[in-house]
């Protein structure tokens, strides 16, 4: 295969894609520090991409339906290796995705 000489990579490294995504989401939702992502929108019966944004204090930031779906789709597509049956948090400062600790009715799962 011939060497690519333009100076830019045709396929970005995963860490580069993750960092770019975190930067785009931070620009899209000012003040957001974390996105919580799942395929289980609480308002839908069937699997549906859903995201919530939180600031550095953990306070929820209101998203429009379009923002929530778009952010969830971008995150899910950027992390194709993840099994999306669980809830995940994307830390925008580190661009790292990790399984969320969800507390419901006094217990965590």
């Amino acid at each position: 295969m011939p060497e690519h000489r333009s100076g830019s990579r045709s396929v970005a490294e995963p860490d580069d894609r993750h960092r770019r995504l975190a930067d785009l989401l931070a620009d899209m939702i000012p003040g957001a520090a974390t996105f919580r992502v799942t395929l289980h929108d609480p308002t839908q019966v069937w699997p549906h991409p859903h995201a919530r944004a939180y600031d550095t204090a953990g306070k929820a930031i209101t998203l429009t339906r379009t923002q929530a779906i778009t952010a969830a789709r971008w995150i899910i597509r950027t992390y194709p290796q993840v099994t999306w049956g669980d809830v995940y948090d994307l830390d925008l400062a580190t661009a790292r995705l990790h399984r969320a600790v969800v507390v419901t009715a006094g217990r965590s799962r």
Side-chain angles (χ1 to χ4, degrees):
M1 177 177 247
E3 182 177 309
H4 190 195
R5 296 180 184 226
S6 71
S8 64
R9 292 179 240 166
S10 59
V11 177
E13 296 295 320
D15 287 341
D16 294 342
R17 287 192 309 264
H18 299 164
R19 178 75 264 150
R20 284 194 331 230
L21 173 65
D23 292 342
L24 285 169
L25 290 171
D27 287 344
M28 185 171 93
I29 310 296
T34 305
F35 275 83
R36 180 158 288 175
V37 183
T38 182
L39 277 177
H40 303 289
D41 183 340
T43 64
Q44 303 293 330
V45 177
W46 57 90
H48 194 75
H50 182 70
R52 291 185 177 145
Y54 298 92
D55 64 14
T56 54
K59 183 179 174 194
I61 296 173
T62 303
L63 301 177
T64 65
R65 180 177 181 272
T66 302
Q67 288 172 324
I69 292 171
T70 300
R73 285 181 179 165
W74 286 359
I75 294 167
I76 289 167
R77 289 178 182 166
T78 304
Y79 292 88
Q81 72 281 6
V82 173
T83 303
W84 287 100
D86 291 323
V87 180
Y88 288 86
D89 286 339
L90 175 65
D91 183 342
L92 298 183
T94 63
R96 298 282 182 226
L97 185 75
H98 55 88
R99 185 170 286 145
V101 176
V102 181
V103 177
T104 56
R107 60 178 208 203
S108 63
R109 52 171 219 195

